[in-house]
Short mmCIF file of all heavy atoms in Angstrom, two decimals:
data_model
loop_
_atom_site.label_atom_id
_atom_site.label_comp_id
_atom_site.label_asym_id
_atom_site.label_seq_id
_atom_site.Cartn_x
_atom_site.Cartn_y
_atom_site.Cartn_z
N VAL A 141 0.85 -1.17 0.00
CA VAL A 141 0.00 0.00 0.00
C VAL A 141 0.89 1.23 0.00
O VAL A 141 1.82 1.32 0.79
CB VAL A 141 -0.91 0.01 1.25
CG1 VAL A 141 -1.67 1.32 1.35
CG2 VAL A 141 -1.85 -1.17 1.23
N VAL A 142 0.59 2.16 -0.89
CA VAL A 142 1.25 3.46 -0.85
C VAL A 142 0.24 4.42 -0.22
O VAL A 142 -0.91 4.51 -0.67
CB VAL A 142 1.65 3.95 -2.25
CG1 VAL A 142 2.22 5.35 -2.19
CG2 VAL A 142 2.65 2.99 -2.87
N ALA A 143 0.65 5.09 0.84
CA ALA A 143 -0.23 6.01 1.56
C ALA A 143 0.46 7.37 1.68
O ALA A 143 1.66 7.48 1.42
CB ALA A 143 -0.55 5.46 2.94
N THR A 144 -0.31 8.37 2.07
CA THR A 144 0.27 9.69 2.29
C THR A 144 0.14 10.08 3.75
O THR A 144 -0.78 9.65 4.44
CB THR A 144 -0.42 10.77 1.42
OG1 THR A 144 -1.78 10.87 1.80
CG2 THR A 144 -0.31 10.44 -0.05
N LEU A 145 1.07 10.91 4.19
CA LEU A 145 1.07 11.36 5.58
C LEU A 145 0.29 12.66 5.76
O LEU A 145 0.02 13.05 6.88
CB LEU A 145 2.51 11.54 6.05
CG LEU A 145 3.35 10.27 6.02
CD1 LEU A 145 4.82 10.59 6.32
CD2 LEU A 145 2.82 9.26 7.02
N TRP A 146 -0.01 13.34 4.66
CA TRP A 146 -0.82 14.56 4.70
C TRP A 146 -1.51 14.72 3.36
O TRP A 146 -1.16 14.02 2.41
CB TRP A 146 0.02 15.80 5.06
CG TRP A 146 1.20 16.08 4.17
CD1 TRP A 146 1.18 16.68 2.93
CD2 TRP A 146 2.57 15.82 4.44
NE1 TRP A 146 2.45 16.80 2.43
CE2 TRP A 146 3.33 16.27 3.34
CE3 TRP A 146 3.24 15.23 5.52
CZ2 TRP A 146 4.71 16.15 3.27
CZ3 TRP A 146 4.63 15.12 5.44
CH2 TRP A 146 5.33 15.59 4.35
N PRO A 147 -2.49 15.61 3.26
CA PRO A 147 -3.19 15.82 1.98
C PRO A 147 -2.21 16.23 0.88
O PRO A 147 -1.23 16.94 1.14
CB PRO A 147 -4.17 16.96 2.29
CG PRO A 147 -4.39 16.89 3.76
CD PRO A 147 -3.06 16.45 4.33
N VAL A 148 -2.47 15.74 -0.33
CA VAL A 148 -1.56 15.98 -1.44
C VAL A 148 -2.29 16.63 -2.62
O VAL A 148 -3.50 16.56 -2.73
CB VAL A 148 -0.90 14.66 -1.90
CG1 VAL A 148 0.02 14.12 -0.83
CG2 VAL A 148 -1.94 13.63 -2.27
N GLU A 149 -1.51 17.23 -3.49
CA GLU A 149 -2.02 17.89 -4.69
C GLU A 149 -2.21 16.84 -5.79
O GLU A 149 -1.37 15.95 -5.98
CB GLU A 149 -1.00 18.96 -5.11
CG GLU A 149 -1.47 19.93 -6.14
CD GLU A 149 -1.15 19.49 -7.54
OE1 GLU A 149 -0.16 18.77 -7.75
OE2 GLU A 149 -1.91 19.87 -8.43
N SER A 150 -3.32 16.90 -6.50
CA SER A 150 -3.71 15.85 -7.45
C SER A 150 -2.76 15.69 -8.64
O SER A 150 -2.41 14.56 -9.00
CB SER A 150 -5.12 16.10 -7.97
OG SER A 150 -6.04 15.98 -6.93
N ASN A 151 -2.36 16.77 -9.27
CA ASN A 151 -1.55 16.66 -10.49
C ASN A 151 -0.17 16.06 -10.21
O ASN A 151 0.30 15.20 -10.94
CB ASN A 151 -1.41 18.02 -11.18
CG ASN A 151 -2.72 18.48 -11.77
OD1 ASN A 151 -3.57 17.68 -12.14
ND2 ASN A 151 -2.90 19.78 -11.83
N SER A 152 0.47 16.51 -9.15
CA SER A 152 1.79 15.96 -8.83
C SER A 152 1.67 14.51 -8.38
O SER A 152 2.53 13.68 -8.67
CB SER A 152 2.49 16.80 -7.77
OG SER A 152 1.74 16.84 -6.58
N THR A 153 0.58 14.18 -7.67
CA THR A 153 0.36 12.80 -7.25
C THR A 153 0.17 11.89 -8.46
O THR A 153 0.72 10.79 -8.50
CB THR A 153 -0.86 12.71 -6.31
OG1 THR A 153 -0.59 13.49 -5.15
CG2 THR A 153 -1.15 11.28 -5.92
N ALA A 154 -0.58 12.35 -9.43
CA ALA A 154 -0.78 11.56 -10.65
C ALA A 154 0.55 11.31 -11.33
O ALA A 154 0.84 10.18 -11.75
CB ALA A 154 -1.74 12.28 -11.58
N LYS A 155 1.37 12.32 -11.44
CA LYS A 155 2.68 12.18 -12.08
C LYS A 155 3.54 11.16 -11.32
O LYS A 155 4.18 10.29 -11.91
CB LYS A 155 3.36 13.54 -12.12
CG LYS A 155 4.59 13.60 -12.94
CD LYS A 155 5.05 15.03 -13.13
CE LYS A 155 6.12 15.07 -14.19
NZ LYS A 155 6.44 16.42 -14.62
N LEU A 156 3.54 11.25 -9.99
CA LEU A 156 4.32 10.34 -9.17
C LEU A 156 3.81 8.91 -9.31
O LEU A 156 4.60 7.97 -9.49
CB LEU A 156 4.26 10.76 -7.70
CG LEU A 156 5.08 9.87 -6.78
CD1 LEU A 156 6.39 10.54 -6.44
CD2 LEU A 156 4.32 9.54 -5.53
N MET A 157 2.49 8.71 -9.27
CA MET A 157 1.93 7.37 -9.34
C MET A 157 2.12 6.72 -10.71
O MET A 157 2.38 5.51 -10.80
CB MET A 157 0.44 7.39 -8.97
CG MET A 157 0.19 7.62 -7.49
SD MET A 157 0.81 6.26 -6.49
CE MET A 157 2.08 7.09 -5.55
N VAL A 158 2.01 7.49 -11.77
CA VAL A 158 2.25 6.94 -13.11
C VAL A 158 3.68 6.45 -13.20
O VAL A 158 3.95 5.34 -13.68
CB VAL A 158 1.93 7.99 -14.20
CG1 VAL A 158 2.49 7.58 -15.54
CG2 VAL A 158 0.43 8.22 -14.28
N GLU A 159 4.62 7.25 -12.72
CA GLU A 159 6.03 6.85 -12.76
C GLU A 159 6.28 5.65 -11.84
O GLU A 159 7.01 4.72 -12.20
CB GLU A 159 6.93 8.02 -12.37
CG GLU A 159 8.40 7.73 -12.44
CD GLU A 159 8.93 7.41 -13.83
OE1 GLU A 159 8.20 7.56 -14.83
OE2 GLU A 159 10.10 6.99 -13.93
N PHE A 160 5.68 5.65 -10.67
CA PHE A 160 5.81 4.52 -9.73
C PHE A 160 5.38 3.21 -10.39
O PHE A 160 6.11 2.22 -10.36
CB PHE A 160 4.98 4.82 -8.48
CG PHE A 160 4.77 3.64 -7.57
CD1 PHE A 160 5.81 3.12 -6.84
CD2 PHE A 160 3.51 3.06 -7.44
CE1 PHE A 160 5.62 2.03 -5.99
CE2 PHE A 160 3.31 1.99 -6.59
CZ PHE A 160 4.36 1.46 -5.86
N HIS A 161 4.20 3.21 -10.99
CA HIS A 161 3.69 1.99 -11.61
C HIS A 161 4.49 1.61 -12.86
O HIS A 161 4.69 0.43 -13.13
CB HIS A 161 2.21 2.13 -11.93
CG HIS A 161 1.37 2.07 -10.69
ND1 HIS A 161 1.23 0.93 -9.93
CD2 HIS A 161 0.66 3.02 -10.06
CE1 HIS A 161 0.45 1.17 -8.90
NE2 HIS A 161 0.10 2.44 -8.95
N ARG A 162 4.96 2.58 -13.61
CA ARG A 162 5.80 2.28 -14.78
C ARG A 162 7.09 1.59 -14.33
O ARG A 162 7.50 0.58 -14.92
CB ARG A 162 6.15 3.57 -15.53
CG ARG A 162 6.94 3.31 -16.83
CD ARG A 162 7.50 4.57 -17.43
NE ARG A 162 8.62 5.10 -16.67
CZ ARG A 162 9.86 4.58 -16.67
NH1 ARG A 162 10.12 3.50 -17.40
NH2 ARG A 162 10.82 5.12 -15.96
N LEU A 163 7.69 2.10 -13.29
CA LEU A 163 8.94 1.50 -12.79
C LEU A 163 8.72 0.09 -12.27
O LEU A 163 9.55 -0.79 -12.46
CB LEU A 163 9.54 2.39 -11.70
CG LEU A 163 10.13 3.71 -12.18
CD1 LEU A 163 10.36 4.66 -11.01
CD2 LEU A 163 11.41 3.48 -12.96
N ARG A 164 7.59 -0.13 -11.62
CA ARG A 164 7.29 -1.47 -11.11
C ARG A 164 7.02 -2.45 -12.24
O ARG A 164 7.55 -3.56 -12.26
CB ARG A 164 6.07 -1.43 -10.18
CG ARG A 164 6.36 -0.85 -8.82
CD ARG A 164 5.15 -0.83 -7.91
NE ARG A 164 4.56 -2.14 -7.80
CZ ARG A 164 3.33 -2.46 -8.26
NH1 ARG A 164 2.57 -1.56 -8.84
NH2 ARG A 164 2.86 -3.67 -8.12
N ARG A 165 6.18 -2.05 -13.18
CA ARG A 165 5.73 -2.97 -14.23
C ARG A 165 6.74 -3.14 -15.35
O ARG A 165 7.06 -4.25 -15.74
CB ARG A 165 4.42 -2.48 -14.83
CG ARG A 165 3.29 -2.46 -13.86
CD ARG A 165 2.92 -3.84 -13.46
NE ARG A 165 1.47 -3.95 -13.48
CZ ARG A 165 0.85 -5.09 -13.45
NH1 ARG A 165 1.51 -6.20 -13.41
NH2 ARG A 165 -0.44 -5.12 -13.44
N LYS A 166 7.23 -2.04 -15.87
CA LYS A 166 8.08 -2.11 -17.06
C LYS A 166 9.56 -2.29 -16.73
O LYS A 166 10.29 -2.91 -17.49
CB LYS A 166 7.88 -0.86 -17.91
CG LYS A 166 6.45 -0.66 -18.34
CD LYS A 166 6.36 -0.31 -19.78
CE LYS A 166 4.98 0.07 -20.14
NZ LYS A 166 4.08 -0.59 -20.73
N GLU A 167 10.00 -1.72 -15.60
CA GLU A 167 11.41 -1.79 -15.24
C GLU A 167 11.71 -2.91 -14.24
O GLU A 167 12.86 -3.24 -14.01
CB GLU A 167 11.88 -0.45 -14.67
CG GLU A 167 11.68 0.73 -15.59
CD GLU A 167 12.53 0.67 -16.86
OE1 GLU A 167 13.63 0.10 -16.82
OE2 GLU A 167 12.06 1.20 -17.89
N GLY A 168 10.66 -3.45 -13.61
CA GLY A 168 10.83 -4.58 -12.69
C GLY A 168 11.37 -4.23 -11.31
O GLY A 168 11.84 -5.10 -10.60
N PHE A 169 11.28 -2.96 -10.91
CA PHE A 169 11.75 -2.57 -9.59
C PHE A 169 10.80 -3.06 -8.51
O PHE A 169 9.60 -3.23 -8.75
CB PHE A 169 11.85 -1.04 -9.48
CG PHE A 169 12.99 -0.45 -10.24
CD1 PHE A 169 12.76 0.29 -11.39
CD2 PHE A 169 14.30 -0.61 -9.81
CE1 PHE A 169 13.80 0.84 -12.10
CE2 PHE A 169 15.35 -0.05 -10.51
CZ PHE A 169 15.10 0.67 -11.66
N THR A 170 11.32 -3.28 -7.31
CA THR A 170 10.45 -3.57 -6.17
C THR A 170 9.61 -2.32 -5.91
O THR A 170 9.94 -1.22 -6.36
CB THR A 170 11.26 -3.88 -4.90
OG1 THR A 170 12.02 -2.72 -4.53
CG2 THR A 170 12.18 -5.08 -5.10
N SER A 171 8.54 -2.49 -5.16
CA SER A 171 7.68 -1.35 -4.84
C SER A 171 8.46 -0.25 -4.11
O SER A 171 8.30 0.94 -4.40
CB SER A 171 6.49 -1.80 -4.00
OG SER A 171 5.67 -2.67 -4.75
N ALA A 172 9.30 -0.65 -3.16
CA ALA A 172 10.07 0.33 -2.39
C ALA A 172 11.02 1.11 -3.29
O ALA A 172 11.10 2.34 -3.21
CB ALA A 172 10.84 -0.36 -1.27
N ARG A 173 11.73 0.42 -4.15
CA ARG A 173 12.68 1.10 -5.05
C ARG A 173 11.94 1.95 -6.07
O ARG A 173 12.40 3.05 -6.41
CB ARG A 173 13.56 0.05 -5.75
CG ARG A 173 14.63 0.65 -6.61
CD ARG A 173 15.73 1.26 -5.77
NE ARG A 173 16.80 1.70 -6.66
CZ ARG A 173 17.28 2.94 -6.70
NH1 ARG A 173 16.81 3.85 -5.88
NH2 ARG A 173 18.23 3.26 -7.53
N ALA A 174 10.82 1.47 -6.58
CA ALA A 174 10.04 2.24 -7.55
C ALA A 174 9.53 3.53 -6.93
O ALA A 174 9.57 4.59 -7.58
CB ALA A 174 8.89 1.40 -8.08
N LEU A 175 9.06 3.47 -5.69
CA LEU A 175 8.58 4.69 -5.03
C LEU A 175 9.73 5.65 -4.83
O LEU A 175 9.60 6.85 -5.10
CB LEU A 175 7.92 4.35 -3.69
CG LEU A 175 7.40 5.56 -2.91
CD1 LEU A 175 6.37 6.35 -3.72
CD2 LEU A 175 6.81 5.11 -1.58
N GLN A 176 10.87 5.16 -4.40
CA GLN A 176 12.03 6.03 -4.20
C GLN A 176 12.43 6.71 -5.50
O GLN A 176 12.66 7.92 -5.54
CB GLN A 176 13.20 5.22 -3.66
CG GLN A 176 14.46 6.06 -3.46
CD GLN A 176 15.67 5.23 -3.13
OE1 GLN A 176 15.85 4.13 -3.67
NE2 GLN A 176 16.49 5.72 -2.23
N LYS A 177 12.51 5.94 -6.57
CA LYS A 177 12.91 6.52 -7.86
C LYS A 177 11.87 7.51 -8.38
O LYS A 177 12.22 8.54 -8.94
CB LYS A 177 13.19 5.43 -8.88
CG LYS A 177 14.49 4.68 -8.60
CD LYS A 177 14.84 3.69 -9.68
CE LYS A 177 15.30 4.29 -10.95
NZ LYS A 177 16.53 5.03 -10.94
N ALA A 178 10.60 7.21 -8.19
CA ALA A 178 9.54 8.14 -8.62
C ALA A 178 9.61 9.44 -7.83
O ALA A 178 9.44 10.53 -8.40
CB ALA A 178 8.18 7.47 -8.47
N GLN A 179 9.89 9.34 -6.54
CA GLN A 179 10.05 10.55 -5.73
C GLN A 179 11.25 11.36 -6.21
O GLN A 179 11.18 12.59 -6.29
CB GLN A 179 10.19 10.17 -4.25
CG GLN A 179 8.90 9.68 -3.64
CD GLN A 179 9.09 9.12 -2.26
OE1 GLN A 179 10.03 8.37 -1.99
NE2 GLN A 179 8.19 9.46 -1.35
N LEU A 180 12.34 10.69 -6.52
CA LEU A 180 13.52 11.40 -7.03
C LEU A 180 13.24 12.06 -8.37
O LEU A 180 13.78 13.14 -8.66
CB LEU A 180 14.70 10.43 -7.15
CG LEU A 180 15.31 9.98 -5.82
CD1 LEU A 180 16.32 8.86 -6.04
CD2 LEU A 180 15.94 11.15 -5.10
N GLU A 181 12.40 11.44 -9.19
CA GLU A 181 12.02 12.05 -10.46
C GLU A 181 11.33 13.39 -10.22
O GLU A 181 11.59 14.36 -10.92
CB GLU A 181 11.11 11.12 -11.26
CG GLU A 181 11.80 9.93 -11.86
CD GLU A 181 12.73 10.30 -13.00
OE1 GLU A 181 12.40 11.22 -13.79
OE2 GLU A 181 13.81 9.69 -13.09
N LEU A 182 10.42 13.43 -9.26
CA LEU A 182 9.75 14.70 -8.95
C LEU A 182 10.75 15.72 -8.40
O LEU A 182 10.70 16.90 -8.74
CB LEU A 182 8.63 14.51 -7.94
CG LEU A 182 7.31 13.94 -8.45
CD1 LEU A 182 6.26 13.99 -7.34
CD2 LEU A 182 6.80 14.66 -9.67
N LEU A 183 11.67 15.25 -7.58
CA LEU A 183 12.66 16.14 -6.99
C LEU A 183 13.54 16.78 -8.06
O LEU A 183 14.00 17.91 -7.90
CB LEU A 183 13.53 15.36 -6.00
CG LEU A 183 14.60 16.13 -5.25
CD1 LEU A 183 13.99 17.26 -4.43
CD2 LEU A 183 15.38 15.20 -4.35
N HIS A 184 13.74 16.09 -9.17
CA HIS A 184 14.59 16.58 -10.26
C HIS A 184 13.79 16.99 -11.49
O HIS A 184 14.35 17.17 -12.56
CB HIS A 184 15.63 15.53 -10.61
CG HIS A 184 16.57 15.27 -9.48
ND1 HIS A 184 16.46 14.15 -8.68
CD2 HIS A 184 17.60 15.99 -8.99
CE1 HIS A 184 17.39 14.19 -7.76
NE2 HIS A 184 18.09 15.29 -7.91
N ASP A 185 12.48 17.13 -11.36
CA ASP A 185 11.62 17.50 -12.48
C ASP A 185 11.95 18.92 -12.98
O ASP A 185 12.37 19.76 -12.18
CB ASP A 185 10.15 17.47 -12.01
CG ASP A 185 9.18 17.50 -13.16
OD1 ASP A 185 8.79 18.62 -13.57
OD2 ASP A 185 8.81 16.41 -13.63
N PRO A 186 11.80 19.16 -14.27
CA PRO A 186 12.03 20.52 -14.80
C PRO A 186 11.12 21.57 -14.15
O PRO A 186 11.49 22.74 -14.05
CB PRO A 186 11.72 20.39 -16.29
CG PRO A 186 11.88 18.95 -16.60
CD PRO A 186 11.52 18.21 -15.34
N ASP A 187 9.94 21.16 -13.69
CA ASP A 187 9.04 22.06 -12.99
C ASP A 187 9.55 22.23 -11.56
O ASP A 187 9.34 21.36 -10.71
CB ASP A 187 7.62 21.50 -13.00
CG ASP A 187 6.60 22.39 -12.30
OD1 ASP A 187 7.00 23.42 -11.69
OD2 ASP A 187 5.41 22.05 -12.36
N GLU A 188 10.24 23.31 -11.29
CA GLU A 188 10.87 23.51 -9.98
C GLU A 188 9.89 23.52 -8.83
O GLU A 188 10.27 23.26 -7.69
CB GLU A 188 11.70 24.80 -9.99
CG GLU A 188 12.92 24.67 -10.87
CD GLU A 188 13.83 25.88 -10.80
OE1 GLU A 188 13.65 26.73 -9.90
OE2 GLU A 188 14.72 25.96 -11.64
N ARG A 189 8.64 23.79 -9.09
CA ARG A 189 7.61 23.74 -8.06
C ARG A 189 7.57 22.35 -7.42
O ARG A 189 7.37 22.21 -6.21
CB ARG A 189 6.26 24.09 -8.70
CG ARG A 189 5.06 23.98 -7.83
CD ARG A 189 3.80 24.33 -8.61
NE ARG A 189 3.55 23.39 -9.68
CZ ARG A 189 2.69 22.38 -9.61
NH1 ARG A 189 2.00 22.18 -8.51
NH2 ARG A 189 2.51 21.57 -10.63
N LEU A 190 7.80 21.31 -8.22
CA LEU A 190 7.73 19.93 -7.73
C LEU A 190 8.93 19.54 -6.88
O LEU A 190 8.95 18.46 -6.31
CB LEU A 190 7.57 18.97 -8.90
CG LEU A 190 6.30 19.15 -9.73
CD1 LEU A 190 6.28 18.17 -10.89
CD2 LEU A 190 5.05 19.01 -8.88
N HIS A 191 9.92 20.39 -6.79
CA HIS A 191 11.09 20.11 -5.95
C HIS A 191 10.76 20.25 -4.47
O HIS A 191 11.50 19.74 -3.63
CB HIS A 191 12.25 21.05 -6.30
CG HIS A 191 12.72 20.90 -7.71
ND1 HIS A 191 13.78 21.62 -8.20
CD2 HIS A 191 12.29 20.14 -8.74
CE1 HIS A 191 13.97 21.32 -9.47
NE2 HIS A 191 13.06 20.41 -9.82
N GLN A 192 9.67 20.92 -4.17
CA GLN A 192 9.26 21.10 -2.77
C GLN A 192 8.84 19.76 -2.17
O GLN A 192 8.08 19.01 -2.79
CB GLN A 192 8.09 22.09 -2.69
CG GLN A 192 8.43 23.47 -3.18
CD GLN A 192 9.53 24.10 -2.35
OE1 GLN A 192 9.54 24.03 -1.13
NE2 GLN A 192 10.49 24.70 -3.03
N PRO A 193 9.33 19.43 -0.98
CA PRO A 193 8.99 18.15 -0.36
C PRO A 193 7.50 17.88 -0.21
O PRO A 193 7.09 16.72 -0.21
CB PRO A 193 9.66 18.23 1.02
CG PRO A 193 10.78 19.19 0.82
CD PRO A 193 10.28 20.19 -0.17
N SER A 194 6.69 18.91 -0.12
CA SER A 194 5.25 18.67 0.05
C SER A 194 4.65 17.91 -1.13
O SER A 194 3.59 17.31 -1.00
CB SER A 194 4.51 20.00 0.25
OG SER A 194 4.69 20.83 -0.88
N TYR A 195 5.33 17.90 -2.28
CA TYR A 195 4.82 17.20 -3.45
C TYR A 195 5.25 15.74 -3.52
O TYR A 195 4.58 14.92 -4.14
CB TYR A 195 5.26 17.91 -4.74
CG TYR A 195 4.59 19.24 -4.92
CD1 TYR A 195 5.27 20.42 -4.68
CD2 TYR A 195 3.26 19.32 -5.32
CE1 TYR A 195 4.66 21.65 -4.83
CE2 TYR A 195 2.63 20.53 -5.48
CZ TYR A 195 3.33 21.69 -5.23
OH TYR A 195 2.71 22.90 -5.38
N TRP A 196 6.38 15.38 -2.93
CA TRP A 196 6.87 14.01 -3.06
C TRP A 196 7.13 13.30 -1.72
O TRP A 196 7.12 12.08 -1.65
CB TRP A 196 8.13 13.95 -3.92
CG TRP A 196 9.22 14.90 -3.46
CD1 TRP A 196 9.44 16.16 -3.93
CD2 TRP A 196 10.19 14.67 -2.44
NE1 TRP A 196 10.50 16.72 -3.25
CE2 TRP A 196 10.98 15.83 -2.35
CE3 TRP A 196 10.48 13.59 -1.62
CZ2 TRP A 196 12.03 15.94 -1.44
CZ3 TRP A 196 11.52 13.70 -0.71
CH2 TRP A 196 12.29 14.87 -0.65
N ALA A 197 7.32 14.05 -0.65
CA ALA A 197 7.70 13.45 0.63
C ALA A 197 6.58 12.76 1.41
O ALA A 197 6.88 11.89 2.23
CB ALA A 197 8.37 14.50 1.51
N PRO A 198 5.30 13.10 1.21
CA PRO A 198 4.30 12.48 2.08
C PRO A 198 4.00 11.02 1.76
O PRO A 198 3.28 10.37 2.50
CB PRO A 198 3.06 13.34 1.84
CG PRO A 198 3.22 13.87 0.46
CD PRO A 198 4.70 14.10 0.34
N PHE A 199 4.57 10.48 0.70
CA PHE A 199 4.24 9.12 0.29
C PHE A 199 5.12 8.10 0.99
O PHE A 199 6.33 8.22 1.00
CB PHE A 199 4.40 8.98 -1.23
CG PHE A 199 3.44 9.86 -1.97
CD1 PHE A 199 3.82 11.14 -2.34
CD2 PHE A 199 2.18 9.43 -2.27
CE1 PHE A 199 2.94 11.97 -3.00
CE2 PHE A 199 1.28 10.26 -2.94
CZ PHE A 199 1.67 11.53 -3.30
N ILE A 200 4.47 7.09 1.56
CA ILE A 200 5.18 6.01 2.23
C ILE A 200 4.64 4.68 1.73
O ILE A 200 3.51 4.58 1.27
CB ILE A 200 5.05 6.09 3.77
CG1 ILE A 200 3.58 6.03 4.19
CG2 ILE A 200 5.72 7.35 4.30
CD1 ILE A 200 3.38 5.85 5.68
N LEU A 201 5.46 3.66 1.82
CA LEU A 201 5.08 2.31 1.43
C LEU A 201 4.83 1.50 2.70
O LEU A 201 5.66 1.50 3.61
CB LEU A 201 6.19 1.68 0.60
CG LEU A 201 5.94 0.29 0.07
CD1 LEU A 201 4.81 0.32 -0.96
CD2 LEU A 201 7.20 -0.28 -0.54
N ILE A 202 3.70 0.84 2.75
CA ILE A 202 3.35 -0.01 3.89
C ILE A 202 3.26 -1.44 3.37
O ILE A 202 2.52 -1.71 2.42
CB ILE A 202 2.01 0.42 4.51
CG1 ILE A 202 2.10 1.87 4.99
CG2 ILE A 202 1.62 -0.52 5.65
CD1 ILE A 202 0.77 2.47 5.35
N GLY A 203 4.01 -2.32 3.96
CA GLY A 203 3.97 -3.71 3.54
C GLY A 203 5.31 -4.18 3.01
O GLY A 203 6.32 -3.50 3.16
N GLY A 204 5.26 -5.30 2.34
CA GLY A 204 6.49 -5.91 1.85
C GLY A 204 7.05 -5.26 0.60
O GLY A 204 6.55 -4.26 0.11
N HIS A 205 8.08 -5.86 0.13
CA HIS A 205 8.75 -5.40 -1.09
C HIS A 205 8.32 -6.27 -2.25
O HIS A 205 9.11 -6.97 -2.87
CB HIS A 205 10.28 -5.47 -0.90
CG HIS A 205 10.77 -4.51 0.12
ND1 HIS A 205 11.51 -3.40 -0.23
CD2 HIS A 205 10.62 -4.44 1.45
CE1 HIS A 205 11.80 -2.71 0.85
NE2 HIS A 205 11.27 -3.33 1.89
N ALA A 206 7.02 -6.24 -2.53
CA ALA A 206 6.44 -7.10 -3.56
C ALA A 206 7.03 -6.80 -4.93
O ALA A 206 7.28 -5.66 -5.27
CB ALA A 206 4.93 -6.92 -3.60
N GLU A 207 7.23 -7.84 -5.69
CA GLU A 207 7.71 -7.72 -7.07
C GLU A 207 6.64 -8.30 -8.00
O GLU A 207 6.71 -9.45 -8.37
CB GLU A 207 9.03 -8.45 -7.24
CG GLU A 207 10.14 -7.85 -6.41
CD GLU A 207 11.46 -8.55 -6.64
OE1 GLU A 207 11.67 -9.10 -7.75
OE2 GLU A 207 12.28 -8.54 -5.73
N PHE A 208 5.65 -7.49 -8.32
CA PHE A 208 4.60 -7.95 -9.22
C PHE A 208 4.23 -6.88 -10.19
O PHE A 208 4.58 -5.75 -10.06
CB PHE A 208 3.37 -8.42 -8.45
CG PHE A 208 2.80 -7.39 -7.53
CD1 PHE A 208 1.84 -6.48 -8.00
CD2 PHE A 208 3.19 -7.29 -6.23
CE1 PHE A 208 1.31 -5.52 -7.16
CE2 PHE A 208 2.67 -6.34 -5.38
CZ PHE A 208 1.73 -5.45 -5.85
#
């Protein structure tokens, strides 16, 4: 389960989740690694607004390191 620690903005969340699922499905990363890499993508996005932790930091992974 990917959950948030506080309310999040929809557009940045969509961008993060699309990248998260792409990394899991197409690149074969574990859920934990895919979330980390997706968060780093937002941190380095050309849109400097997304560099703020409020857009990528509230997401946490609960559960195992499933590879599916």
Side-chain angles (χ1 to χ4, degrees):
V141 172
V142 175
T144 63
L145 299 172
W146 56 79
V148 293
E149 193 268 332
S150 294
N151 291 331
S152 60
T153 298
K155 190 170 192 169
L156 181 101
M157 288 295 116
V158 166
E159 183 65 8
F160 167 70
H161 287 292
R162 185 191 73 75
L163 289 165
R164 285 181 54 245
R165 296 293 224 166
K166 302 225 188 259
E167 303 294 329
F169 288 108
T170 63
S171 295
R173 184 72 174 125
L175 179 59
Q176 179 189 38
K177 288 186 72 65
Q179 288 171 316
L180 289 171
E181 287 290 323
L182 282 187
L183 182 60
H184 296 103
D185 194 271
D187 181 354
E188 291 186 12
R189 175 181 64 99
L190 298 178
H191 298 182
Q192 298 299 316
S194 60
Y195 291 104
W196 53 265
F199 296 91
I200 59 169
L201 182 67
I202 301 168
H205 293 250
E207 296 183 27
F208 56 88

